[in-house]
Amino acid sequence: MTTLRDTAELFGSLHRPGSPLLLPNAWDPLSARLVEAAGGPAVATTSAGVAWALGTADGDHIDRDSVLALTRRVVAAVSVPVTADVESGFGATPDEVGVTVDGVLAAGAVGVNIEDVHPDDPSALRDPAEQSERLAAARAAADAAGVPLYVNARVDTYLRSVGAPDGRFADTVARARAYLAAGASGIFVPGVVDVPTVTRLAAEIDGPLNVLAGPGAPPVAEFAAAGVARVSLGSSVAAAAYAVARRAARELFDDGTYAELEGGLAYGDLNALMS
């Protein structure tokens, strides 16, 4: 029987610089099954998509228990490893981050994203030493459970435009090195997609690099050549799905027609995925 430790080791092995793990992030059991059915070797949740689906805003507004319950349902829906986006860890203290990790493991997930944006000020980041303590607590909780949890430490310098532009690269690398030393498995730097910068980040960071892709970003092949080990789509898949819902609603109310519904997946196909 495959153990949680086995699944965690498998998930970790999927992070290969030059041959990145591709993650079109899911937000519920059906979107997770669609990812798996398309050939995904793993499923990652998006905190934004999860929050929206559960009726709240992204950015530390949802509670830990709701996220863990959803994570448990996603894990149960697929046979591939699952990693959960737990925002900044759902806790004011490192110990509380450890409690979150305990819950993630109990839900059957084998990875987490933990971001360093300050929950009280989206334009600021936590002090690197404070964030390192939080990541160390996550690692300690996983070690205590005997599971090599993949801790993907998110550095929001670029995404939040923190600090002077000419110092952003050095700050990102310094944070990444501190986070890896604290027990992170890999580093996630959303908000930067230009290949020269990504290439430099991959060279300077001694751990798997995760980037956030979407419309306008280079193709996967260019990220692979830059040394990236993981490419995520984040909230953009959920946002695209909700865009269809908005267009269909506006068309119905404004024109009384239904063209926006063309190309939808067949009811029977979706229902069969959930059977």
Side-chain angles (χ1 to χ4, degrees), residues 20-256:
L21 171 62
L22 307 180
L23 295 170
N25 299 66
W27 62 96
D28 65 4
L30 180 51
S31 59
R33 284 199 173 173
L34 287 168
V35 169
E36 182 183 32
V43 167
T45 63
T46 159
S47 67
V50 167
W52 298 335
L54 294 179
T56 190
D58 189 30
D60 286 289
H61 295 289
I62 197 168
D63 63 281
R64 176 199 288 138
D65 288 346
S66 295
V67 171
L68 294 178
L70 189 282
T71 300
R72 188 174 297 107
R73 291 170 60 197
V74 168
V75 170
V78 297
S79 60
V80 296
V82 173
T83 181
D85 187 338
V86 295
E87 303 194 33
S88 61
F90 301 121
T93 67
D95 285 347
E96 290 176 342
V97 175
V99 171
T100 298
V101 166
D102 288 339
V104 167
L105 295 173
V110 293
V112 289
N113 272 25
I114 300 178
E115 61 198 46
D116 62 359
V117 66
H118 200 290
D120 298 327
D121 182 1
S123 67
L125 305 186
R126 292 183 188 272
D127 179 82
E130 177 190 4
Q131 184 66 4
S132 293
E133 291 179 0
R134 297 170 68 82
L135 293 168
R139 174 56 61 208
D143 287 348
V147 178
L149 180 79
Y150 194 96
V151 178
N152 202 32
R154 195 174 107 177
V155 182
D156 272 13
T157 43
Y158 285 95
L159 186 66
R160 308 287 177 171
S161 299
V162 175
D166 59 359
R168 208 162 285 156
F169 180 86
D171 186 18
T172 301
V173 171
R175 285 176 175 272
R177 290 174 176 171
Y179 299 168
L180 289 167
S185 310
I187 300 296
F188 183 21
V189 186
V192 57
V193 294
D194 65 281
V195 172
T197 302
V198 171
T199 302
R200 290 177 63 206
L201 286 170
E204 293 290 331
I205 296 171
D206 190 21
L209 177 64
N210 181 187
V211 297
L212 181 67
V220 167
E222 293 187 27
F223 284 135
V228 170
R230 175 167 162 173
V231 178
S232 304
L233 298 186
S235 62
S236 59
V237 180
Y242 289 127
V244 174
R246 183 172 72 173
R247 290 196 302 268
R250 286 180 172 174
E251 181 189 9
L252 180 64
F253 298 142
D254 295 344
D255 305 323

Side-chain angles (χ1 to χ4, degrees), residues 30 33 266-275:
L30 180 51
R33 284 199 173 173
Y267 169 88
D269 292 341
L270 292 174
N271 213 40
L273 271 178
M274 298 308 295
S275 297

